[in-house]
Amino acid sequence: MVLPLMQKLQDRIVAANTLLAAYAVPIEGTLGRKHPEEPDETRFPFQRDRDRIIHSLAFRRLKGKTQVFVAGEGDHYRTRLTHSMEVAQISRDIARTMGLNEDLAESIALAHDLGHPPFGHAGEEALDAWMHEHGSHFEHNEQSLRIVTTLETHSSLHTGLNLSFEILEGLMKHRTPHDSPALDHPRKPSLEAQVVNIADEIAYTGHDCDDGLRAGLFDKSALMNTPLAREAYACIVPRGTSFRGALIHLMVSDLYTETERRLALKNIRTLQDIYERAEDCVAFSESMAKKLVELRTFLWNNMYLHPEVRKHSSQGQAIVTELCQRLYAQPNDKVVTLMKVHSCSAEEAVKDYVAGMTDVFATANARDL
Ligand code: MG
């Protein structure tokens, strides 16, 4: 018997698809999941994916992970959690404006940084260096994928969250999920995945300027030496609104114009066109890309390489390295359980455990060791 709600869901899927561009990933997706599931009674498939991501343990731990500063140092600086929410918000807005699948973009965005270890990029470098000593490597995008396919649990019947393959593709960036029977060769990323990549850049450029100013690492007059910051400040004069908002507005507006131009230039008409040849369709214009490089260089020199930030980064790296070495020499219960449950090597279990830690948990554990 078909439930009335099921009929409504099907009707809603049909209606929602009429709002999408021909090159968007359809509301119901096309690839399904590794373990087939009955349709939900009320939610679209990518909405279920989003809910699984938000309810995962790894997602909640993002609140305790550094973006640039050591988390907890100031209540108003971004964490990985607020960063992921900003990326999701920007991705959804861009997706909706361009007639793309908003739920897919949102899900990829919310999951894109799940694999980040404690202490931001400093922690990632330390984990990667330690893994190299064991003939392997660490990369946060791969770890995000490992979290949703292996480490998190949605059902006792299988490992992972059993997300739709389109989301796994979006997290993999340019490669094919290895266990997708639907995909035997790599294909270009969907426009939704491309939107998230660039929304990530838009979000961190905006909030790093904001956090850097708040922390007093640089001031407005220094920032005004870059053309994009000058433009953004000029924008806010008549409105009295925030510098971050103006910066995001400038980047997003440029993105719409350039993406439209590229879609027309490449004669993109269908989703198949996207998968075959639409790499880098979602992009900034050449002049915006150049201005962004200048602003990123400014942030690099004045923020990421600032002595205060570097001090925290090297402390974080030392903690990560120490934790890896000690837990490898003397695995605790958590590491032993990870090895058993996921039939993995000691170094992989140590990597999974340490990568999952928040800054505070890692710091406390390094002290306890
Ligand atoms: Mg990010």
Side-chain angles (χ1 to χ4, degrees):
M1 190 186 82
V2 180
L3 296 166
L5 268 174
M6 285 293 294
Q7 288 173 334
K8 272 194 216 156
L9 178 72
Q10 279 312 315
D11 291 347
R12 285 170 50 225
I13 287 177
V14 171
N17 273 327
T18 64
L19 298 175
L20 297 185
Y23 39 69
V25 172
I27 294 294
E28 67 280 21
T30 58
L31 302 174
R33 307 169 189 276
K34 184 177 180 186
H35 307 283
E37 293 176 12
E38 287 295 311
D40 190 68
E41 288 179 3
T42 54
R43 292 169 302 167
F44 298 163
F46 297 130
Q47 289 181 287
R48 300 173 87 181
D49 292 315
R50 177 206 55 207
D51 295 352
R52 286 176 201 183
I53 292 161
I54 286 183
H55 291 291
S56 69
L57 296 171
F59 186 77
R60 296 208 286 283
R61 290 196 303 264
L62 292 176
K63 72 174 183 289
K65 296 197 180 201
T66 296
Q67 186 68 22
V68 173
F69 296 90
V70 171
E73 188 188 317
D75 286 342
H76 295 139
Y77 299 125
R78 269 68 175 190
T79 63
R80 288 268 161 220
L81 180 66
T82 58
H83 163 72
S84 299
M85 291 172 74
E86 289 182 33
V87 176
Q89 171 228 344
I90 294 169
S91 300
R92 286 184 58 188
D93 282 357
I94 297 174
R96 183 158 37 189
T97 304
M98 289 176 30
L100 301 176
N101 193 321
E102 210 177 310
D103 297 327
L104 173 58
E106 181 183 28
S107 298
I108 297 171
L110 290 172
H112 88 283
D113 267 355
L114 287 178
H116 252 295
F119 311 113
H121 289 286
E124 180 166 25
E125 279 171 29
L127 257 180
D128 185 49
W130 185 76
M131 285 300 276
H132 267 91
E133 290 173 22
H134 297 271
S136 187
H137 66 280
F138 179 84
E139 204 272 321
H140 78 269
N141 292 314
E142 285 178 24
Q143 191 67 13
S144 298
L145 195 74
R146 180 164 166 79
I147 285 171
V148 299
T149 55
T150 307
L151 300 177
E152 285 284 340
T153 310
H154 163 66
S155 156
S156 58
L157 301 178
H158 46 73
T159 58
L161 299 179
N162 199 31
L163 300 180
S164 304
F165 280 118
E166 278 91 348
I167 292 173
L168 306 185
E169 275 188 313
L171 294 177
M172 290 205 72
K173 300 191 174 180
H174 315 294
R175 277 168 297 143
T176 309
H178 50 85
D179 51 2
S180 164
L183 300 171
D184 36 26
H185 59 88
R187 57 186 197 179
K188 309 291 186 209
S190 62
L191 287 181
E192 287 81 355
Q194 295 184 46
V195 163
V196 176
N197 275 345
I198 219 150
D200 189 19
E201 191 178 349
I202 292 171
Y204 66 63
T205 302
H207 64 53
D208 285 357
C209 286
D210 211 27
D211 283 350
L213 285 167
R214 179 180 294 278
L217 299 179
F218 47 83
D219 60 14
K220 179 181 161 183
S221 62
L223 200 51
M224 290 276 270
N225 287 324
T226 65
L228 189 55
R230 274 201 301 278
E231 264 180 64
Y233 275 116
C235 260
I236 62 178
V237 171
R239 299 198 298 176
T241 46
S242 77
F243 170 72
R244 173 202 45 79
L247 201 56
I248 292 177
H249 171 75
L250 288 173
M251 289 187 273
V252 172
S253 307
D254 179 87
L255 182 77
Y256 288 141
T257 314
E258 179 62 15
T259 303
E260 206 167 23
R261 191 185 74 82
R262 292 188 183 206
L263 288 170
L265 190 74
K266 294 182 186 217
N267 196 23
I268 300 295
R269 297 193 182 280
T270 64
L271 182 57
Q272 201 50 39
D273 291 342
I274 298 288
Y275 287 141
E276 280 166 13
R277 59 177 199 274
E279 198 151 21
D280 302 329
C281 258
V282 181
F284 295 119
S285 68
E286 222 172 279
S287 78
M288 176 57 79
K290 187 167 165 275
K291 283 184 276 189
L292 254 177
V293 168
E294 286 172 81
L295 182 54
R296 300 294 314 161
T297 307
F298 174 88
L299 286 173
W300 187 258
N301 291 330
N302 294 276
M303 189 168 184
Y304 315 129
L305 294 181
H306 191 283
E308 267 308 299
V309 174
R310 284 181 70 174
K311 192 177 87 190
H312 286 306
S313 299
S314 37
Q315 283 167 351
Q317 287 188 320
I319 288 173
V320 166
T321 308
E322 187 194 338
L323 280 169
C324 288
Q325 289 169 347
R326 299 285 290 274
L327 285 163
Y328 186 68
Q330 263 181 313
N332 65 7
D333 290 351
K334 292 272 186 193
V335 173
V336 171
T337 306
L338 280 166
M339 285 169 70
K340 269 194 212 144
V341 172
H342 303 294
S343 330
C344 64
S345 64
E347 60 268 22
E348 182 138 48
V350 167
K351 176 265 292 174
D352 287 340
Y353 183 49
V354 174
M357 292 179 180
T358 61
D359 297 1
V360 169
F361 187 85
T363 307
N365 271 264
R367 228 180 279 130
D368 289 349
L369 283 171

